[in-house]
Amino acid sequence: MSGSSAQTDRLRAALAGADAVVIGAGAGLSTSAGFVYTGERFEKYFSDFAAKYNFHDMYSGGFYPYATLEEHWAYWSRYIYINRYLNAPKPVYEKLLSLVKDKDYFVLTTNVDHCFQKAGFDKHRLFHTQGDYGLFQCSEPCCAETFDNGEIIQNMVTAQGYTIAPDGTLTAPEAPKMAVPTELVPHCPHCGRPLTTNLRCDGRFVQDEGWYAAAERYENFLRTRAGQRILFLELGVGYNTPGIIKYPFWRMTDGNPRAVYACLNAGDACAPDAIKDRSVCIDGDLADILAQI
């Protein structure tokens, strides 16, 4: 369905009448907030890497097999800093918080950019299933432990010649260095192997104590609200990992006759026939839709 006023009105009513709201957020939400990985934003921070290796988006650069860890971390420190420690260009997450802050809510997200917490969402109501750009883990891994990387990421960025302003924004030198000093390359404090990002990309992803605690809080939230008027609010979720948010939301809506499922997505907003009469599907930019609500 398109983003008609009738659908927006239905969503507004479902939100107002909900006893609880379960938010499922995918990459489309951060894209709407301005966290894009191509174009002007890519060129601003990675034009030197693009010229040297001929890739044209941040994802491609993230998978490039750099010859040294010093160059690998030059790229990844910039990547992590702008996508984890800078605020999103548009206040989409803040707008979402204004809509649910007085509701009984919980957030399940596959995003790893920390935007929910930066916008002011209660960290005890968040479950980041796929990791966090702000955490390192052992590349082996030798332990189920993660490590905060804020300080070392800033040190890597400034070692390339960047200046960090009081508001966190970066100013680039005329010719940024494309390698970090060897002493800044992070290693596991237990086994000495190189550290890597705590992102679920293969079977070595570390689910630490914090991950399991958040998973338990999410399960408890669902269990203790069973049968209530729940709004399952899906935002910008595609079909890359539908088994985490989309399919469970469909299943839980089907199993609770008082629940409503809402799918907000640009280009692909739909619901299965089994819950069609209790679904609100709006095709459009999430920033515009949330502003209308």
Side-chain angles (χ1 to χ4, degrees):
M1 297 179 178
S2 64
S4 66
S5 59
Q7 291 297 304
T8 305
D9 290 343
R10 287 189 63 204
L11 179 54
R12 187 182 300 112
L15 179 61
D19 298 317
V21 180
V22 181
I23 297 170
L29 184 61
S30 286
T31 299
S32 179
F35 269 178
V36 294
Y37 294 82
T38 58
E40 180 180 350
R41 194 163 178 264
F42 171 74
E43 290 296 329
K44 180 178 180 180
Y45 297 106
F46 300 102
S47 59
D48 50 351
F49 280 91
K52 183 175 181 178
Y53 294 110
N54 198 35
F55 51 72
H56 303 288
D57 65 88
M58 294 185 208
Y59 284 124
S60 298
F63 287 103
Y64 192 87
Y66 299 104
T68 67
L69 286 172
E70 287 81 0
E71 192 174 14
H72 170 92
W73 283 113
Y75 183 88
W76 267 99
S77 60
R78 297 185 206 176
Y79 187 117
I80 291 171
Y81 186 82
I82 66 171
N83 293 308
R84 169 61 170 77
Y85 293 105
L86 290 184
N87 291 328
K90 302 176 185 178
V92 175
Y93 282 85
E94 289 80 0
K95 181 60 180 176
L96 176 61
L97 177 60
S98 72
L99 295 174
V100 301
K101 64 181 180 180
D102 297 324
K103 306 293 291 188
D104 184 22
Y105 73 84
F106 203 99
V107 176
L108 173 68
T109 183
T110 54
N111 295 343
V112 295
D113 50 29
H114 210 63
C115 281
F116 279 101
Q117 200 161 329
K118 287 186 289 188
F121 282 79
D122 182 352
K123 67 179 182 180
H124 298 294
R125 292 175 177 265
L126 302 174
F127 180 24
H128 300 87
T129 65
Q130 305 297 76
D132 184 344
Y133 282 144
L135 298 175
F136 286 158
Q137 65 167 73
C138 178
S139 56
E140 179 63 19
C142 72
C143 57
E145 188 176 354
T146 57
F147 311 93
D148 291 335
N149 64 23
E151 182 177 355
I152 192 169
I153 289 296
Q154 290 191 39
N155 290 341
M156 289 182 186
V157 169
T158 56
Q160 296 173 67
Y162 284 85
T163 301
I164 300 178
D167 66 354
T169 55
L170 293 180
T171 301
E174 185 174 337
K177 297 177 182 178
M178 296 178 64
V180 301
T182 300
E183 60 267 22
L184 289 182
V185 173
H187 292 84
C188 178
H190 303 298
C191 71
R193 293 182 177 89
L195 291 177
T196 188
T197 48
N198 180 232
L199 306 177
R200 191 188 299 277
C201 55
D202 57 31
R204 293 174 292 179
F205 175 69
V206 167
Q207 296 175 176
D208 63 6
E209 290 182 4
W211 190 96
Y212 283 107
E216 183 177 2
R217 288 193 295 267
Y218 177 59
E219 293 170 1
N220 286 341
F221 187 92
L222 295 176
R223 183 176 62 254
T224 55
R225 277 75 171 176
Q228 293 185 6
R229 294 176 298 177
I230 300 176
L231 171 62
F232 290 98
L233 180 58
E234 181 189 298
L235 305 170
V237 175
Y239 285 90
N240 187 28
T241 53
I244 296 175
I245 296 173
K246 186 178 291 289
Y247 294 164
F249 276 23
W250 289 356
R251 184 179 66 251
M252 290 185 288
T253 302
D254 187 40
N256 179 359
R258 304 181 73 195
V260 173
Y261 168 72
C263 178
L264 281 57
N265 207 348
D268 191 8
C270 63
D273 289 341
I275 58 171
K276 187 175 181 179
D277 60 333
R278 290 185 287 117
S279 296
V280 181
C281 301
I282 305 179
D283 182 349
D285 181 77
L286 273 69
D288 295 336
I289 298 170
L290 294 176
Q292 292 173 24
I293 299 172

